[in-house]
Amino acid sequence: MDFVLIQFLTGLSNASALFLIASGLTVIFGVTRIVNFAHGSFYMLGAYLAWTIVRAFWDWGGREPYLFVLGVLAAAVVVGLIGVAMEMTLLRRIYRAPELFQLLATFGVVLMIQDATLAIWGPEDLPLPRPPWLRAFIDIAGSRFPRYDLILAIIGPVVLALLWLLFHRTRFGILVRAATQDREMVAALGVDQKKLFSGVFFLGSALAGLGGALVLPSQSANLQMDLSIIAEAFVVVVVGGMGSVTGAFLASLLIAEVQAFGIVLLPKITLVLVFLVMAAVLMVRPYGLLGKPQAHARAASGAVEPTLRPAPNILGLAGLAALLIAASAPFWAGAYAITVLIELAVFVLFAASLHLMMGPGGVVSFGHAAYFGLGAYGAALGLRYLALPMEAGLVAAPLFAGFFGVVFGVFVVRLSGVYLAMLTLAFAQIVWAATFQWVDVTGGDNGILGVWPSAWAADKSVYLWLALALCIGGTLLLRRFVFSPFGYGLRAARDSELRAEAIGLDTARLRLAAFAIAAAAAGLAGGVYAYAKGSVFPTYISIPKSVDALLMVLLGGVQTVTGPIVGAIAYHGLFVGILQATAYWRAALGLAIVVLVLAFPQGIAGFARDRWERARGLEAA
Amino acid sequence: MLSVSRLNAFYGRAHILHDVSLEAASGEVLVLLGRNGAGKSTTMKSIIGIVRPGAGSSVTFAGAEMAGRPPHEIARAGLGYVPEERRIFTDLTVMENLEVGRQAPREGLAPWTPERLFAIFPNLGRMRDRPGGRMSGGEQQMLTIARTLMGNPRLILLDEPSEGLAPVIVEEMANAIRQLKQEGLAVVLSEQNLHFAARVADRAVIIEKGTVRWQGTLATLEDEPEVKAQYLSV
Ligand SMILES: Nc1ncnc2c1ncn2[C@@H]1O[C@H](COP(=O)(O)OP(=O)(O)OP(=O)(O)O)[C@@H](O)[C@H]1O
Ligand SMILES: [Mg+2]
């Protein structure tokens, strides 16, 4: 019984930190409708800043508890101000941009903050020296329990109570609740949205900073804090219901307790467990525990999506020329260029597969790397357990990924908007967790090595031709789908579900089919990639990999079929270019993302097409 | 007090309002009449800035140009807006809804307080702590007007205040509008219900397909059956 009590208390103390972060995220989302990826970075900054500030205070006045409290609060305030700076310089310009662009812009900020933190504090983990009062234990039911953790456990409910007072007893709080429901009406009543939004960003970021500062004594500041917490915070926010603070509280309790007991009872699958809980809650309550259906954001008036049209012939010729140049590379380029070209072919297919879901399918998959990785692991596991040769492996890859595409797709196609994006992310995290934690089968962090092509394709040049044939062939096949009756039905389902059903289309099935095809295509890309690298690793499924795919599609523009191809090439060019040029490639990439989102909200191909059409005086019908 | 001239408005590429011009003086009740889709709501949304007026449009209010300014500035200049869909904050109580509308007192006007508003809308005073989501359509309509009045406007735009209300409530609404006029407010309302309009308004502007077709006093309109037949559903 003691064990249960102790694990329960541990869960409570973890829930507090999680709640601080998630409540900030949910308040920001509620009012501004921005899913702030950088929220995890604010949490990380809170820890680093507290490390610096608390130690400075202690140097000055001794290791006193009150100085610790002051230092933690100061760190939270500084993080709050950083949040305001981000809101004023970046987000203010993109409140009307599509959701996904906002998400990407904030991911750009994640990358910049990562490098800034690395530059300022260095790569080492930074523990806070712990004076005796921070190390004290107390006796609970005969076991020793850290006193600090007990204090943490109390902080969560206290903050919940304070937030409740803020939201019900102050004008700012009432305005925040009103704006969460209808911000346009709040503006029409004379409230300056800019100030309100900045205020909300201060509050939300400061809460994240406070969370980071408070966990510092128990887990030291490190550079992995941002992405490791953000996925969990998303889960909590989604499970609680986007925009609901009380929901975030309940969800953080649920998730933290699941983790606390899971780590003891089922240590191999704790990560998977968390996401399974999320998937289960969303199945029963699609808007989370206390969430409401999104009165779908009164869209900025007149934002009509242009129709998808085949590219002009000239682009087809350009594509053919590019393909010929790539295929002839072995005769004029070096080994490195050939490697890059193989990757490029892989990413073109990867991006095109995501585009099928996002563009015609209208399903924003935030975890597309899952299917890429499943393809790669499908091939590698086939080799390891069934001794499949490359030829069979390349068949297994799309089948394996497509199979999981159907399994996950069944859940996903019922949702929409942010919830859908979050659920796809959650599934990707499940797959990632399985590859990472299930060491016996997948090799965990060390991956699976020795995934080499068959003898006839072992030569790099031959493999390039194989990769081009499979990936470009796959891409052209996807393109055929888009302009087939299936593709038109899919777009009809996206544009008006009711109307599509009225003319007899089974929209859920159409979407599921698209999901499965896209997953299989991504799986093929993953398989080709696995044999090119000779190995597979969990990183193939990480969040940044999914973001890569999104960036490629968005860079190219969702509205054109050529988009993902252009995007993959541009992105890979950017990536290879920057990677070689600078030590701070993350910051450079992040900055590039932000600039691109600000400059081309339609993507490169969309921008080019607009220019092209305008130059020729064409009016879209 | 309010002078709109050559107002054009667009939704995407659709040109909705064509050179709409109209005037409203202080202490006057002006009604915009027109069938479904005529452009009444769009006119109001363009005045308050929710829909951005096209180039060349002018909306002057109390001597200042409003066209192109953000809604909150226009509202603070003393233009109140009550939307057709009411848009009550359903999670907030009556008192909290009023708080969202509250703005600084305006020179020369007795500031509105919840107590003064409850004198005009007695129903609301009996449900101060009720969330907006648990009120009837009529009660919500009263609340949305009261909420806008908390901003102490000099002119209030009422988009179809009588729509979907029971006859008794329509009567209450007419009284409330007359009372606002007595307080010295200018009122611009939109209506399809000519009978209701005739009971509260001084002057009418008839809009069709985004263009002003006729204007004059309601007394004159009574004598022009062909105008009524052509532009109104009577
Ligand atoms: N958000 C929108 N996007 C595109 N077109 C719109 C939008 N809102 C209104 N319209 C169109 O603009 C025109 C004018 O609409 P408006 O709402 O101003 O009419 P109204 O006179 O208020 O009608 P009603 O009496 O039905 O309220 C209509 O043709 C309508 O279809
Ligand atoms: Mg209307």
Side-chain angles (χ1 to χ4, degrees):
Chain A
M1 223 48 234
D2 302 351
F3 151 78
V4 172
L5 182 64
I6 293 295
Q7 281 321 110
F8 179 72
L9 284 175
T10 308
L12 282 188
S13 83
N14 293 341
S16 283
L18 206 48
F19 167 63
L20 287 179
I21 298 139
S23 61
L25 192 62
T26 213
V27 169
I28 288 176
F29 174 80
V31 176
T32 67
R33 299 286 140 170
I34 291 222
V35 176
N36 183 18
F37 234 117
H39 204 70
S41 310
F42 293 156
Y43 164 77
M44 178 174 79
L45 282 178
Y48 275 97
L49 282 166
W51 183 82
T52 300
I53 297 174
V54 169
R55 279 172 56 258
F57 283 6
W58 280 354
D59 284 348
W60 166 79
R63 296 186 172 182
E64 298 296 330
Y66 83 94
L67 286 175
F68 172 77
V69 173
L70 280 183
V72 163
L73 292 177
V77 169
V78 175
V79 174
L81 294 175
I82 295 173
V84 171
M86 167 179 165
E87 193 271 336
M88 289 173 65
T89 53
L90 171 61
L91 300 179
R92 215 168 252 193
R93 295 167 209 278
I94 54 171
Y95 280 128
R96 282 169 177 271
E99 258 160 26
L100 208 61
F101 276 64
Q102 301 169 340
L103 209 65
L104 284 172
T106 60
F107 189 76
V109 175
V110 169
L111 295 175
M112 289 193 271
I113 292 182
Q114 246 170 22
D115 266 1
T117 311
L118 176 66
I120 297 172
W121 283 283
E124 306 296 326
D125 288 9
L126 302 179
L128 189 73
R130 295 200 300 170
W133 55 264
L134 259 182
R135 268 180 284 144
F137 283 86
I138 51 174
D139 241 27
I140 293 177
S143 308
R144 275 154 45 89
F145 192 77
R147 189 175 65 184
Y148 184 74
D149 286 4
L150 202 63
I151 295 174
L152 272 187
I154 297 164
I155 287 178
V158 168
V159 170
L160 177 66
L162 290 176
L163 284 176
W164 192 90
L165 287 175
L166 179 72
F167 287 135
H168 290 85
R169 293 287 177 268
T170 69
R171 177 170 168 84
F172 171 76
I174 291 171
L175 292 181
V176 166
R177 280 163 58 218
T180 300
Q181 189 182 339
D182 187 346
R183 60 193 196 194
E184 191 181 71
M185 191 62 227
V186 171
L189 289 168
V191 177
D192 187 352
Q193 294 206 19
K194 282 188 184 150
K195 283 192 199 147
L196 189 64
F197 284 19
S198 298
V200 163
F201 254 87
F202 178 81
L203 175 67
S205 312
L207 283 168
L210 184 62
L214 284 173
V215 301
L216 178 64
S218 31
Q219 47 181 269
S220 70
N222 64 71
L223 288 167
Q224 287 77 49
M225 289 174 85
D226 52 355
L227 285 186
S228 66
I229 201 73
I230 194 68
E232 255 176 67
F234 278 161
V235 170
V236 168
V237 167
V238 167
V239 168
M242 312 263 323
S244 164
V245 173
T246 316
F249 183 77
L250 295 177
S252 54
L253 282 182
L254 177 67
I255 298 295
E257 291 299 348
V258 165
Q259 279 173 325
F261 286 97
I263 213 148
V264 185
L265 302 175
L266 303 159
K268 291 233 158 91
I269 57 158
T270 23
L271 289 170
V272 177
L273 209 57
V274 167
F275 290 98
L276 285 180
V277 168
M278 161 166 165
V281 170
L282 289 188
M283 282 301 91
V284 186
R285 297 188 60 94
Y287 299 101
L289 295 174
L290 299 183
K292 300 207 177 91
Q294 307 271 286
H296 215 291
R298 291 161 198 280
S301 308
V304 186
E305 188 163 336
T307 40
L308 204 57
R309 288 185 299 279
N313 276 336
I314 196 166
L315 269 185
L317 292 178
L320 192 62
L323 185 60
L324 287 177
I325 294 173
S328 65
F331 303 112
W332 50 265
Y336 179 70
I338 292 177
T339 309
V340 170
L341 281 171
I342 293 174
E343 287 176 6
L344 207 51
V346 166
F347 288 133
V348 165
L349 179 58
F350 185 32
S353 69
L354 178 59
H355 173 264
L356 177 70
M357 265 190 218
M358 281 174 64
V363 174
V364 175
S365 169
F366 218 91
H368 206 51
Y371 309 103
F372 183 82
L374 280 165
Y377 271 92
L381 291 172
L383 174 76
R384 188 165 178 180
Y385 293 100
L386 306 171
L388 289 186
M390 178 192 78
E391 294 79 6
L394 286 176
V395 175
L399 290 180
F400 197 61
F403 171 75
F404 280 97
V406 173
V407 172
F408 293 158
V410 168
F411 295 88
V412 167
V413 295
R414 301 186 356 179
L415 300 170
S416 64
V418 184
Y419 284 88
L420 189 152
M422 296 295 114
L423 194 63
T424 52
L425 174 78
F427 281 132
Q429 289 300 96
I430 292 179
V431 175
W432 175 81
T435 59
F436 186 77
Q437 284 190 323
W438 202 4
V439 181
D440 308 343
V441 177
T442 61
D445 218 4
N446 298 324
I448 299 173
L449 307 179
V451 191
W452 294 113
S454 302
W456 63 270
D459 182 64
K460 274 276 174 222
S461 315
V462 178
Y463 197 76
L464 170 65
W465 292 326
L466 180 65
L468 283 174
L470 289 176
C471 293
I472 305 305
T475 304
L476 291 175
L477 208 60
L478 288 177
R479 190 172 170 283
R480 280 198 83 123
F481 276 125
V482 174
F483 292 111
S484 70
F486 166 74
Y488 287 108
L490 200 56
R491 274 137 66 195
R494 172 197 69 190
D495 294 337
S496 169
E497 185 137 9
L498 286 179
R499 237 176 297 158
E501 294 199 334
I503 59 170
L505 295 172
D506 185 342
T507 55
R509 267 188 106 127
L510 272 174
R511 250 187 236 135
L512 183 59
F515 207 87
I517 292 171
L524 179 61
V528 173
Y529 192 71
Y531 288 107
K533 293 282 156 191
S535 49
V536 297
F537 297 104
T539 48
Y540 289 11
I541 307 161
S542 60
I543 296 177
K545 199 91 193 159
S546 291
V547 173
D548 283 352
L550 284 169
L551 281 172
M552 289 184 249
V553 173
L554 292 175
L555 261 179
V558 187
Q559 303 97 335
T560 58
V561 180
T562 334
I565 303 173
V566 177
I569 295 171
Y571 181 74
H572 213 62
L574 192 76
F575 202 75
V576 172
I578 291 175
L579 199 62
Q580 287 171 337
T582 134
Y584 289 109
W585 63 274
R586 273 191 216 91
L589 179 61
L591 191 64
I593 295 173
V594 167
V595 169
L596 281 166
V597 168
L598 289 178
F600 304 106
Q602 284 196 294
I604 296 173
F607 175 79
R609 191 191 58 189
D610 269 14
R611 274 297 167 88
W612 161 271
E613 290 188 350
R614 209 168 297 161
R616 306 181 55 197
L618 286 178
E619 281 280 292
Chain B
M1 167 165 282
L2 174 70
S3 163
V4 174
S5 79
R6 307 189 63 98
L7 177 62
N8 284 275
F10 302 81
Y11 287 118
R13 294 187 190 188
H15 193 168
I16 304 292
L17 295 186
H18 306 266
D19 287 334
V20 168
S21 299
L22 53 88
E23 311 251 332
S26 50
E28 180 180 47
V29 179
L30 176 71
V31 61
L32 305 182
L33 292 168
R35 295 200 179 98
N36 281 332
K40 305 179 294 291
S41 300
T42 307
T43 303
M44 294 196 166
K45 285 180 185 166
S46 312
I47 293 174
I48 192 71
I50 291 178
V51 169
R52 215 180 160 76
S57 308
S58 165
V59 177
T60 54
F61 177 69
E65 181 60 52
M66 297 290 143
R69 288 168 65 179
H72 76 271
E73 286 183 15
I74 299 176
R76 285 193 184 181
L79 253 167
Y81 168 60
V82 177
E84 188 172 11
E85 318 86 346
R86 297 177 189 144
R87 292 167 83 166
I88 285 299
F89 304 115
T90 47
D91 294 340
L92 274 58
T93 64
V94 167
M95 290 303 277
E96 287 173 334
N97 268 283
L98 294 180
E99 173 64 26
V100 177
R102 183 169 65 81
Q103 292 290 335
R106 207 166 296 279
E107 211 183 291
L109 288 179
W112 288 100
T113 58
E115 297 315 318
R116 274 189 71 208
L117 288 165
F118 295 152
I120 303 184
F121 305 111
N123 274 349
L124 297 181
R126 288 191 285 273
M127 46 181 78
R128 297 168 192 229
D129 294 319
R130 175 143 358 145
R134 288 201 275 118
M135 297 168 70
S136 73
E139 290 158 354
Q140 289 192 348
Q141 185 67 53
M142 304 296 171
L143 178 57
T144 179
I145 295 175
R147 182 178 68 178
T148 298
L149 288 172
M150 284 295 286
N152 299 307
R154 289 186 197 280
L155 182 150
I156 183 164
L157 300 162
L158 292 176
D159 201 350
E160 300 211 28
S162 75
E163 194 186 7
L165 299 185
V168 206
I169 316 280
V170 171
E171 188 53 42
E172 260 184 64
M173 185 62 66
N175 283 333
I177 292 175
R178 283 192 211 104
Q179 224 166 321
L180 295 183
K181 180 184 153 108
Q182 265 163 27
E183 295 273 347
L185 258 78
V187 180
V188 175
L189 69 154
S190 80
E191 267 305 328
Q192 298 196 43
N193 179 343
L194 184 59
H195 298 289
F196 180 78
R199 285 185 16 231
V200 295
D202 305 311
R203 232 154 39 78
V205 169
I206 297 184
I207 298 183
E208 199 210 35
K209 292 194 180 138
T211 313
V212 174
R213 300 289 183 180
W214 185 92
Q215 41 183 318
T217 63
L218 277 146
T220 357
L221 184 58
E222 269 313 297
D223 303 330
E224 302 213 31
E226 38 335 321
V227 172
K228 288 202 274 185
Q230 196 175 351
Y231 301 124
L232 306 175
S233 332
V234 283

